[in-house]
Amino acid sequence: MDVPVAANVLGTLGAVCWSVQLIPQIIINYRRHNATGLQPSMMMFWAWAGVPLGVYNITSAFNIALRVQPQILSCLSLITWIQVYYYEKKWSVYRSLLVVVPIACCMAGIELGLIFALRHGKEKGIDWPQTLMAVLAAVFLACGVLAHYWDIYTHKTVRNISFTFCFIDAMGDLTSLISVFFQPRLDVLGIVIYGVELVLWLGIFACGGYYNLRPWLSEKRSSATRHGSENTREGTGEGVPLHDMPSSTSAFSTSSANMEASGLRDRHTATSSQA
């Protein structure tokens, strides 16, 4: 289905979503001067995912938005990655730039070289390198999200992951996926690249419903029943207390940071009780 306008609009929305999800995280890290809970491995996986994804999208003659999208992903992921070392490892600005700039230049050089190599290969009818780029892009994107699955398996919770930002990322995958359908030629590998990460994000939401939402609703119902009985006995008009859902100021952080925050809350509660 060849609809250039729809392909460009949807591709642009995908690029915007992928930008929006990381820019707030970068700003949050800067304002609070820490990157507690962020997984540098996730950011690096996404940064490298932009290389084969950029090669594939450009050599496949995708719309402009989908060609630019991987460059945005790599750039913002690298910035977020180096923030972890700058704020958490106390690296100096000079050391941070000395590390991240060569990595960025290396990524750009590899991507540019692969683009010319794959175009030359396509002219000779060699298609397997392009398939390899699609596979690598899908694997790197998936590895970034799979880090959360290990966290969920270990701690049996989806705490300290911002579902708002996860939703934005998933929307970026979805709009990019639909954009591929509007290309002149249906690209199965392009569908796989964006579809794999979208499915993994949906799995995160499903785990959140099982580990977070279900117990929260159960506790709320129990609390309502308990306070209703107390109000009936005592004739008071007290309402049902509110329970905050787990949240985080980090867009993509691990449960370890949330456990630390829980410890601080417990100590604060103990202090208040002694007072």
Side-chain angles (χ1 to χ4, degrees), residues 20-242:
V20 168
Q21 58 149 338
L22 284 175
I23 289 176
Q25 182 64 64
I26 293 171
I27 294 173
I28 287 170
N29 294 342
Y30 172 75
R31 287 181 175 175
R32 70 184 184 183
H33 300 293
N34 71 67
T36 304
L38 276 174
Q39 298 184 35
S41 60
M42 178 182 183
M43 295 298 108
M44 185 53 76
F45 273 128
W46 280 4
W48 277 107
V51 174
L53 182 60
V55 172
Y56 184 81
N57 287 2
I58 291 172
T59 55
S60 297
F62 281 180
N63 60 76
I64 296 298
L66 289 183
R67 297 184 198 185
V68 174
Q69 182 193 71
Q71 324 313 323
I72 295 174
L73 175 66
S74 291
C75 180
L76 295 180
S77 296
L78 275 179
I79 292 173
T80 311
W81 175 78
I82 200 61
Q83 279 186 318
V84 177
Y85 290 89
Y86 176 73
Y87 290 119
E88 300 304 315
K89 305 296 184 181
K90 307 303 179 184
W91 284 13
S92 65
V93 174
Y94 176 75
R95 183 181 180 183
S96 299
L97 291 175
L98 198 62
V99 171
V100 76
V101 171
I103 292 176
C105 292
C106 179
M107 287 180 173
I110 291 174
E111 182 175 344
L112 187 62
L114 286 173
I115 289 171
F116 284 110
L118 263 68
R119 282 177 173 172
H120 182 68
K122 287 183 70 175
E123 292 175 357
K124 294 188 175 183
I126 303 174
D127 295 324
W128 69 263
Q130 196 165 6
T131 303
L132 177 62
M133 292 299 103
V135 171
L136 288 176
V139 168
F140 285 144
L141 287 171
C143 283
V145 184
L146 283 172
H148 289 304
Y149 279 87
W150 175 252
D151 220 42
I152 293 168
Y153 173 77
T154 303
H155 300 285
K156 308 302 180 186
T157 184
V158 197
R159 292 180 301 177
N160 228 32
I161 296 177
S162 170
F163 288 102
T164 301
F165 288 111
C166 292
F167 175 77
I168 293 173
D169 192 299
M171 284 301 297
D173 291 320
L174 180 60
T175 52
S176 300
L177 178 63
I178 299 174
S179 176
V180 174
F181 281 100
F182 288 103
Q183 293 295 128
R185 178 179 60 86
L186 184 63
D187 194 297
V188 176
L189 291 175
I191 293 172
V192 171
I193 291 172
Y194 294 107
V196 166
E197 191 182 41
L198 176 60
V199 169
L200 290 175
W201 280 129
L202 292 176
I204 294 289
F205 285 115
C207 290
Y210 181 79
Y211 287 115
N212 293 33
L213 183 60
R214 188 173 59 89
W216 180 78
L217 291 174
S218 177
E219 181 184 353
K220 188 173 182 180
R221 283 195 298 267
S222 300
S223 179
T225 303
R226 184 172 61 255
H227 282 269
S229 300
E230 291 176 358
N231 292 342
T232 301
R233 290 194 303 269
E234 300 174 8
T236 62
E238 296 178 358
V240 178
L242 297 177

